[in-house]
Amino acid sequence: MAKLTLADLRKMREEKQKALDMRDSSNKDVQVVVGMGTCGIAAGAKETFTALIDTLSEKGLTNVLVRQTGCMGLCHSEPTVEVVVPGMPTVIYGHVDAATAKDIVAKHIVGHELIEGKILDKPSVDIVKNA
Amino acid sequence: MHASLSDIVADIAANSIEAGASNIRVSVVDENGTIELKVEDNGKGMPPEIVARAFDPFYTEPGKHDKRKVGMGLPFVKQTCDACGGSVKLESRQGVGTTIVCTFQADNIDLPPMGSLPQAVLSLFNFGGDFDLVFIHRKNGSGYEISRLELMDAVGGFDSVEGLSLAREFLEGQEESL
């Protein structure tokens, strides 16, 4: 990959923006939050994060906000990913490896279907206040 | 312990974000057979009694997690430094900030792989808030430096997948040119 400058980035962004404007993009109403505490990092949350960005980018989804947070209090099931989609229950998934991250995008966000076997129980109330 | 040095970078610099720092400087310098990782912040800092316990795995900041009694971030760092013929130094002043310097022998057999620094840096950049984080990577005479706020401006923010993808492309390009 060629070394980019910040000016190159601005130019690429404008080009991408033009391509995106042609699509019918609604506002960012979907949120994906990756737990990136010591526990998450040790369990591979960075790879999960990368897989999420790659898959969202491949599918051209522009309405998704991807964020990081610290430990969600579910260290036993890291990497954890919280997914908020309007009209669906807010879910925290556990043991989210790269393959599950792809499933989250394809099944949960696009297909509006929960992924069996990966949903954690009600999260720790002291940490996740609005669960 | 963490699987890679970039995991350590992601972990300890996240402490600075959690400490409410507005300016954070993270550097990885790989020169003359030593790898030095340094994180400096202007966050809330720690009083001496907490600094004294910071490397104790059975201590965590009060109030952070109600029932949790462990804090593995800094103990993991110390474990790796100790195993790799290096050292770790933590200095902190309440209300002023914290600096942590870790060194590792570059040729030590127990040195974890570097892992993906672009992934680590991007995940740090993507934490919410308007803090600046300058990341510096120097290796045998060449290197690069990037500020979170500048990159954010260039890619139009990290709120969008497009922005994140562009930022990652940028960081990977910088790494490859070293």
Side-chain angles (χ1 to χ4, degrees), chain B residues 50-63:
Chain B
I50 292 188
V51 173
R53 298 200 66 186
F55 292 102
D56 176 354
F58 297 103
Y59 176 79
T60 189
E61 196 187 345

Side-chain angles (χ1 to χ4, degrees), chain B:
Chain B
M1 63 195 267
H2 280 311
S4 68
L5 294 181
S6 60
D7 283 351
I8 293 180
V9 174
D11 195 347
I12 56 174
N15 289 341
S16 298
I17 300 169
E18 288 182 359
S22 58
N23 275 299
I24 305 164
R25 200 177 160 84
V26 179
S27 61
V28 176
V29 178
D30 182 354
E31 269 161 0
N32 307 319
T34 302
I35 298 174
E36 186 199 80
L37 160 63
K38 187 173 181 183
V39 178
E40 298 165 88
D41 71 54
N42 66 346
K44 65 183 177 184
M46 293 176 277
E49 59 273 23
I50 292 188
V51 173
R53 298 200 66 186
F55 292 102
D56 176 354
F58 297 103
Y59 176 79
T60 189
E61 196 187 345
K64 198 169 174 183
H65 300 292
D66 232 9
K67 290 178 181 146
R68 200 176 78 182
K69 300 282 185 233
V70 295
M72 302 306 290
L74 287 172
F76 275 170
V77 176
K78 184 167 162 46
Q79 183 186 25
T80 307
C81 293
D82 287 350
C84 304
S87 65
V88 55
K89 202 170 76 183
L90 173 67
E91 279 172 15
S92 190
R93 278 177 60 202
Q94 224 171 347
V96 179
T98 301
T99 299
I100 180 162
V101 185
C102 325
T103 57
F104 313 87
Q105 268 175 5
D107 61 353
N108 195 292
I109 191 146
D110 289 318
L111 184 78
M114 184 57 84
S116 168
L117 280 171
Q119 276 185 7
V121 174
L122 190 63
S123 70
L124 287 166
F125 281 180
N126 190 42
F127 271 90
D130 53 9
F131 64 92
D132 197 12
L133 190 159
V134 175
F135 176 73
I136 300 140
H137 189 190
R138 287 213 307 273
K139 193 176 175 184
N140 301 324
S142 66
Y144 68 93
E145 178 172 335
I146 181 70
S147 137
R148 174 183 188 252
L149 295 181
E150 272 181 40
L151 186 61
M152 214 167 167
D153 180 58
V155 302
F158 302 132
D159 286 350
S160 65
V161 173
E162 312 87 71
L164 287 170
S165 307
L166 279 176
R168 197 176 58 160
E169 210 172 311
F170 175 80
L171 291 166
E172 280 172 356
Q174 299 287 324
E175 273 301 310
E176 275 177 28
S177 69
L178 286 186

Side-chain angles (χ1 to χ4, degrees), chain A residues 1-7 9-14 16-17 20 28 36-39 41-44 46-47 49-54 56-58 61-62 64-73 75 126-127, chain B residues 2 4 6-8 10-11 14 18 64-68 72-73 76 116 119-120 122-123 126-128 143-144 146 150-151 153-156 158-162 164-170 172-174 176-177:
Chain A
M1 186 184 302
K3 187 171 176 178
L4 297 165
T5 64
L6 291 177
L9 277 185
R10 287 196 178 87
K11 207 173 144 196
M12 285 168 72
R13 174 187 155 206
E14 277 168 22
K16 280 206 173 192
Q17 198 56 49
L20 286 170
K28 296 199 187 331
M36 200 69 80
T38 300
C39 45
I41 293 167
K46 289 198 280 101
E47 284 71 25
F49 172 62
T50 308
L52 280 169
I53 299 173
D54 285 347
L56 288 166
S57 183
E58 264 168 37
L61 297 174
T62 56
V64 184
L65 179 67
V66 185
R67 275 272 179 246
Q68 313 286 295
T69 188
C71 169
M72 296 198 226
C75 312
D126 58 323
I127 292 150
Chain B
H2 280 311
S4 68
S6 60
D7 283 351
I8 293 180
D11 195 347
E18 288 182 359
K64 198 169 174 183
H65 300 292
D66 232 9
K67 290 178 181 146
R68 200 176 78 182
M72 302 306 290
F76 275 170
S116 168
Q119 276 185 7
L122 190 63
S123 70
N126 190 42
F127 271 90
Y144 68 93
I146 181 70
E150 272 181 40
L151 186 61
D153 180 58
V155 302
F158 302 132
D159 286 350
S160 65
V161 173
E162 312 87 71
L164 287 170
S165 307
L166 279 176
R168 197 176 58 160
E169 210 172 311
F170 175 80
E172 280 172 356
Q174 299 287 324
E176 275 177 28
S177 69

